[in-house]
């Protein structure tokens, strides 16, 4: 049987070796999840809510253990990993509550001898595929609403970061959630995509990851017309208008751009700054960025850990190289940026323009290209000129300008003077090729529910 080696991206050393789940084992897990669904869907909402709350309590109790796993397998600085556990458990808490708020409604009929009742039911067995950049939060925001809705779920964590998910599933079992209600498989993305989309007993596929993989899953899901949720790639623009609070804009730019070393789907990928304030903004941004300490996620004061692997590093270096070829100016020499291994020092690229790859492809790394504009409509046009529509940011202290930008940016998640808008209580998700469906908030349970309508004849 082939084995999966889980690596520490800081050292490229093997942390753990796991067996891949065999085809036969996957089919058995799906059968079990299918059988368990017939029971779990009928567990009353208050009991489901209570079990999910117990799971939340255990996650909180094991906060540092989980954070250590995240740092070990994902490279994220330990305090940031602790923050991710808090973010992950916020979804669990939120959906423990939502389990009790799955409402139906009645609608007046068009004749006195009928009554119309509308109700919501769990979709069934869910297959969840999650990425490596948030090994805890991306799975809890699928597991928690699925369980709250009465679905059973099989998790497929990224092969680079499976250990956090395994622990989260174990804690769910310790909390009393039955083993067949929530389980996990160790599989490559392609295999998992086939398992979940081709097995008729899996009714829903939920995926967070790249747009090309999402496209494939959407197409495979059509074979059995699955219910799907897709949280795909982004290319977040960040606009700093001339009336912005520059210090605040710089602080928030650093927060959004360098979170997880720039490896999130909502990291600002490209920055548009008004020419009147560009000198001051760039100078302050470069200063703040050069202060960010890079190193092993367990070292004191580290703000930027390693990238996930060599391929990630190569992509970022390619974007830097391309930017320089298109006239970009690096805030520090390239030799300084390349630290060896999977480590890169963060860098600002000034004099950026729309021809650069970094302005129209997801970089997923610690690079901040800054382009100047004179007309706000141009900045909005550049921002929208992409197939992606996940997150966008802007900074202005004028409410008319702010509402104008908000109304005209085609993005699902928008931060106005806010670089960190993601929250368990708000709907997260994208427009256009960034996918569909929302996670978080009251919207985040809807993808796990189906609407049924009953017309009662009263004669
Ligand atoms: C992501 O990178 O896909 C998620 C980021 C977030 O939840 O803020």
């Amino acid at each position: 049987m082939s084995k999966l080696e889980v690596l520490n991206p800081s050292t490229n050393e093997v942390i753990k070796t796991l067996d891949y789940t065999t085809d036969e084992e996957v089919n058995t897990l799906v059968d079990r999840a299918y059988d368990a669904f017939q029971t779990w869907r009928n567990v009353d909402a208050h009991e489901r809510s209570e079990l999910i709350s117990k799971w939340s309590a255990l996650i909180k109790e094991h906060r540092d253990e989980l954070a250590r796993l995240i740092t070990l397998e994902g490279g994220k600085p330990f305090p940031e990993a602790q923050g991710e556990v808090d973010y992950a458990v916020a979804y669990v808490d939120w959906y423990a509550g939502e389990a009790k708020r799955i409402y139906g409604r009645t609608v007046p009929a068009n004749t006195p001898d009928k009554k119309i009742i509308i109700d919501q039911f769990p979709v069934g067995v869910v297959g969840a595929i999650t990425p490596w950049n948030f090994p805890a939060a991306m799975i809890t925001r699928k597991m928690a609403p699925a369980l709250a809705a009465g679905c059973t779920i099989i998790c497929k964590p990224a092969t680079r970061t499976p250990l956090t998910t395994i622990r989260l599933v174990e804690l769910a079992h310790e909390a009393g959630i039955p083993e067949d209600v929530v389980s996990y498989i160790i599989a490559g993305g392609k295999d998992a995509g086939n398992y979940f989309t081709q097995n008729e007993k899996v009714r829903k596929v939920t995926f967070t990851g790249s747009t090309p993989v999402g496209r494939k899953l959407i197409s495979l899901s059509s074979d059995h017309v699955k219910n799907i949720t897709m949280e795909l790639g982004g290319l977040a623009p960040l606009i700093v208008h001339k009336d912005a609070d520059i210090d605040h804009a710089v602080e928030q730019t650093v927060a959004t751009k360098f979170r997880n070393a720039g490896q999130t789907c909502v990291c600002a990928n490209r920055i548009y700054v008004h020419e009147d304030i560009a000198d001051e903004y760039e100078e302050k941004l470069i200063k703040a960025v050069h202060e960010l300490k890079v190193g092993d996620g367990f070292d004191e004061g580290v703000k930027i850990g390693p990238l996930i692997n060599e391929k990630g590093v190569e992509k970022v270096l390619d974007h830097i190289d391309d930017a320089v070829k298109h006239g970009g100016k690096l805030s520090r020499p390239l030799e300084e940026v390349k630290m060896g291994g999977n480590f890169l020092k963060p860098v600002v690229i000034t004099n950026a323009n729309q021809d650069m790859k970094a302005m129209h492809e997801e970089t997923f790394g610690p690079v901040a290209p800054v382009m100047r504009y004179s007309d706000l409509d141009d900045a909005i046009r550049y921002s929208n000129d992409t197939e992606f529509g996940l997150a966008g940011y802007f900074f202005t202290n004028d409410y008319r300008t702010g509402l104008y930008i908000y109304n005209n940016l085609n993005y699902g998640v928008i931060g106005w003077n806010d670089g960190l808008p993601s929250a368990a209580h708000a709907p997260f998700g994208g427009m256009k090729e960034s996918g569909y469906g929302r996670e978080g908030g009251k919207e985040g349970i809807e993808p796990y529910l189906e609407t049924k309508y009953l017309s009662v004849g009263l004669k």
Side-chain angles (χ1 to χ4, degrees):
M1 188 194 292
S2 63
K3 303 262 186 199
L4 169 68
E5 291 188 335
V6 184
L7 304 178
N8 175 348
S10 253
T11 58
N12 284 326
E13 279 164 12
V14 178
I15 313 163
K16 197 156 180 118
T17 304
L18 299 170
D19 288 330
Y20 280 105
T21 314
T22 63
D23 296 8
E24 214 181 3
E25 286 165 344
V26 175
N27 288 334
T28 305
L29 283 173
V30 174
D31 286 346
R32 287 193 178 158
Y34 182 80
D35 292 345
F37 173 61
Q38 316 314 323
T39 317
W40 181 248
R41 64 184 303 185
N42 292 319
V43 170
D44 85 75
H46 290 257
E47 194 179 330
R48 282 205 304 268
S49 166
E50 199 146 304
L51 288 168
I52 297 168
S53 294
K54 281 189 187 152
W55 180 36
S56 157
L58 284 174
I59 296 173
K60 287 172 188 156
E61 204 179 303
H62 293 262
R63 179 179 188 245
D64 283 356
E65 178 198 343
L66 287 161
R68 263 194 297 280
L69 286 176
I70 293 172
T71 301
L72 207 56
E73 62 183 354
K76 195 172 279 187
F78 184 65
E80 196 177 332
Q82 287 174 312
E84 185 186 335
V85 178
D86 298 341
Y87 181 41
V89 84
Y91 285 97
V92 181
D93 285 338
W94 181 265
Y95 289 107
E98 284 299 301
K100 294 183 278 189
R101 291 190 283 269
I102 299 170
Y103 304 129
R105 69 189 205 276
T106 62
V107 174
N110 61 349
T111 152
D113 56 7
K114 283 194 181 189
K115 187 162 185 69
I116 291 175
I117 297 168
I118 297 162
D119 218 348
Q120 301 201 77
F121 290 82
V123 173
V125 179
V126 176
I129 304 177
T130 46
W132 48 262
N133 60 346
F134 287 88
M138 296 304 104
I139 194 62
T140 58
R141 78 187 191 190
K142 297 182 190 315
M143 269 169 83
L147 296 171
C151 296
T152 55
I153 180 163
I154 303 172
C155 308
K156 198 307 271 183
T159 45
R160 296 194 194 105
T161 56
L163 306 178
T164 311
T165 299
I166 293 176
R167 195 65 193 117
L168 283 167
V169 170
E170 285 170 359
L171 291 174
H173 296 158
E174 270 177 49
I177 299 171
E179 289 194 9
D180 294 341
V181 167
V182 54
S183 56
Y184 67 85
I185 60 171
I186 301 300
K190 198 164 164 213
D191 288 340
N194 285 327
Y195 293 142
F196 291 158
T197 58
Q198 302 308 303
N199 191 318
E200 285 181 59
K201 287 183 175 168
V202 176
R203 279 312 312 151
K204 180 177 178 73
V205 178
T206 171
F207 171 68
T208 298
S210 73
T211 295
V213 175
R215 264 192 215 107
K216 190 90 197 137
L217 286 170
I218 293 167
S219 137
L220 286 168
S221 294
S222 71
D223 290 349
H224 295 291
V225 192
K226 306 251 172 188
N227 174 321
I228 48 180
T229 299
M230 295 284 138
E231 202 266 89
L232 308 177
L235 189 74
L238 185 151
I239 300 173
V240 188
H241 200 48
K242 59 186 171 191
D243 54 10
D245 173 336
I246 297 177
D247 290 331
H248 181 67
V250 166
E251 182 202 296
Q252 294 295 301
T253 304
V254 172
T256 167
K257 173 66 252 184
F258 298 99
R259 184 172 168 223
N260 196 25
Q263 303 172 110
T264 88
C265 302
V266 293
C267 280
N269 211 82
R270 54 215 169 104
I271 298 164
Y272 301 103
V273 60
H274 192 275
E275 59 188 8
D276 288 0
I277 53 156
D279 285 345
E280 185 182 345
Y281 173 82
E282 285 173 1
E283 189 189 314
K284 288 182 167 169
L285 182 67
I286 290 168
K287 183 171 180 300
V289 168
H290 287 202
E291 278 168 7
L292 298 170
K293 184 174 166 190
V294 184
D296 186 285
F298 288 110
D299 289 350
E300 195 62 33
V302 162
K303 295 282 191 265
I304 298 193
L307 297 202
I308 193 71
N309 60 16
E310 206 183 316
K311 218 167 128 210
V313 172
E314 277 166 16
K315 183 175 185 194
V316 174
L317 291 175
D318 176 52
H319 279 203
I320 295 176
D321 181 53
D322 172 80
V324 171
K325 283 191 184 127
H326 283 91
K329 292 188 170 53
L330 303 186
S331 63
R332 58 180 12 140
L334 188 56
E335 294 61 46
E336 209 179 290
V337 173
K338 296 187 206 172
M339 293 175 70
N342 296 329
F343 293 95
L344 287 178
K345 277 210 173 131
V347 61
V348 176
I349 301 174
T350 53
N351 203 33
N353 57 64
Q354 282 296 97
D355 294 332
M356 296 174 175
K357 278 187 190 172
M359 303 303 271
H360 56 85
E361 281 179 28
E362 206 173 20
T363 306
F364 243 58
V367 177
V370 184
M371 175 172 161
R372 299 179 175 208
Y373 69 86
S374 54
D375 181 344
L376 179 59
D377 284 325
D378 285 339
I380 295 174
R381 192 162 46 80
Y382 296 143
S383 297
N384 287 334
D385 184 18
T386 166
E387 67 270 31
F388 296 110
L390 184 55
Y393 308 89
F394 61 86
F395 293 83
T396 172
N397 278 342
D398 184 296
Y399 74 91
R400 285 154 299 207
T401 309
L403 288 174
Y404 180 74
I405 304 175
Y406 169 69
N407 285 332
N408 286 288
L409 277 185
N410 301 327
Y411 287 84
V413 179
I414 296 188
W416 175 357
N417 292 343
D418 182 9
L420 298 171
S422 305
H425 43 270
F428 180 102
M431 297 176 175
K432 301 196 278 186
E433 295 188 28
S434 289
Y436 42 80
R438 293 293 181 267
E439 296 186 315
K442 82 175 174 56
E443 288 82 358
I445 197 162
E446 285 162 10
Y448 299 93
L449 295 164
E450 286 192 298
T451 301
K452 250 197 219 177
Y453 138 60
L454 177 70
S455 179
V456 186
L458 300 175
K459 267 197 180 153

